[in-house]
Amino acid sequence: MEVAELIGSTDTTVWRYETGLTRPRPSDVSALTEVYGVTGEARDSLIQMAVEARRRGWWHSHRQALKPGFDFYIGLEAEASIVRTYEPLVVPGLMQTEPYARAVIGATSIVQTPSEVEETVSVRISRQRLLYGPDDPISLVAVLDEAVVRRQIGGRDIMAEQLEHLVRLGGLPNVEIRVLPFSAGAHAAMDGKFCLLSFPDNEDPDLLYLEQAASGVVPDDPEQVRRYTSMFGSLCDMALDTETSASFIAQMARRFST
């Protein structure tokens, strides 16, 4: 409370700065350096870092085509080192082919114009560069319900291409794909999809992203993050291993291609 009062802010804002949920404003960084006695080049460097951190990413110009909260998630995703995702219905966006993405977005974005659909597709495909970065591509761990692999999205050829793409992605050293079979029965994540983000700096807390039809949210309750982390571990234990999952996905790809 004392620090918040000294910089003219609130306890919640300071907590969000400290936990990495919000990028600090340069003015607040300036005030904090005074509180903690940081001066000279170190102070100037911290303020400049705050300015650069708050610059809008490439996706900001597409903000109108994105659901509320999702532009914030894209920024967090771009900073993450590990993405863990559970998807019960469709292939996660980071792993979608362009035709599959167009079919999904066209079906779910019923209020968007054709041009807005194409813009959303473009954003989704652009995000996938994170998997192929020349330096440190993100690590992706995906648990897919068996329904994801069986549900035909678009034509049979689109679905076959998508499943073949998943098999190739699973061969990358930074991608792990597991299928949760119907035979696994009831499980802890039956309420729906979720995503967990981990960051390069071990002091930055993991974050949880929950997405609904009209919006997305990053809860700031650490207990929720712990709960969903435990849930993801349980899903991995119940899912097929990566090799068996790849074989199953490849088998389904052949069925769609015939």
Side-chain angles (χ1 to χ4, degrees):
M1 180 178 293
E2 182 179 352
V3 172
E5 291 178 352
L6 288 172
I7 69 171
S9 187
T10 65
D11 292 343
T12 299
T13 297
V14 172
W15 176 79
R16 290 177 71 85
Y17 288 168
E18 292 175 342
T19 57
L21 287 172
T22 302
R23 296 181 179 87
R25 295 178 297 179
S27 59
D28 283 348
V29 172
S30 177
L32 285 167
T33 58
E34 293 182 11
V35 170
Y36 293 116
V38 181
T39 60
E41 292 184 3
R43 177 179 183 275
D44 294 341
S45 177
L46 287 171
I47 294 174
Q48 183 60 31
M49 287 171 63
V51 171
E52 293 178 354
R54 292 181 68 86
R55 286 177 179 163
R56 292 168 176 170
W58 59 267
W59 56 87
H60 189 79
S61 61
H62 304 283
R63 191 174 184 179
Q64 295 303 315
L66 303 175
K67 66 180 63 177
F70 191 63
D71 59 326
F72 178 54
Y73 169 77
I74 294 178
L76 293 172
E77 183 184 70
E79 297 173 2
S81 56
I82 303 173
V83 175
R84 288 167 289 169
T85 182
Y86 166 66
E87 177 56 69
L89 297 174
V90 299
V91 173
L94 282 175
M95 310 169 80
Q96 292 179 5
T97 63
E98 186 170 332
Y100 183 96
R102 185 172 291 108
V104 170
I105 294 168
T108 57
S109 302
I110 56 176
V111 298
Q112 285 188 319
T113 65
S115 62
E116 288 173 332
V117 168
E118 288 304 311
E119 187 175 4
T120 307
V121 170
S122 177
V123 170
R124 184 164 299 181
I125 299 304
S126 295
R127 288 169 51 211
Q128 298 176 6
R129 288 177 290 189
L130 294 172
L131 293 174
Y132 305 99
D135 299 320
D136 293 311
I138 63 170
S139 294
L140 174 62
V141 184
V143 177
L144 312 180
D145 191 273
E146 185 175 335
V148 174
V149 182
R150 291 188 178 275
R151 181 184 303 276
Q152 181 177 317
I153 304 293
R156 294 179 65 86
D157 55 339
I158 289 177
M159 194 64 195
E161 178 188 33
Q162 174 63 72
L163 295 179
E164 291 165 358
H165 180 63
L166 285 181
V167 174
R168 290 192 295 271
L169 281 177
L172 296 177
N174 57 311
V175 176
E176 180 179 319
I177 302 173
R178 294 174 179 268
V179 174
L180 183 65
F182 292 150
S183 60
H187 55 80
M190 294 181 70
D191 285 340
K193 63 190 292 183
F194 64 91
C195 187
L196 291 160
L197 303 177
S198 300
F199 300 90
D201 190 335
N202 291 330
E203 295 186 1
D204 289 337
D206 289 356
L207 295 180
L208 167 68
Y209 177 70
L210 300 174
E211 186 174 325
Q212 299 174 329
S215 64
V217 62
V218 178
D220 56 10
D221 181 1
E223 183 56 39
Q224 276 195 283
V225 177
R226 286 191 287 270
R227 177 189 173 195
Y228 277 86
T229 298
S230 177
M231 287 168 57
F232 193 81
S234 174
L235 292 174
C236 287
D237 290 340
M238 297 174 71
L240 304 175
D241 61 43
T242 55
E243 185 175 343
T244 306
S245 295
S247 296
F248 177 69
I249 294 171
Q251 177 186 359
M252 291 304 302
R254 290 191 293 271
R255 289 188 183 182
F256 279 111
S257 63
T258 57

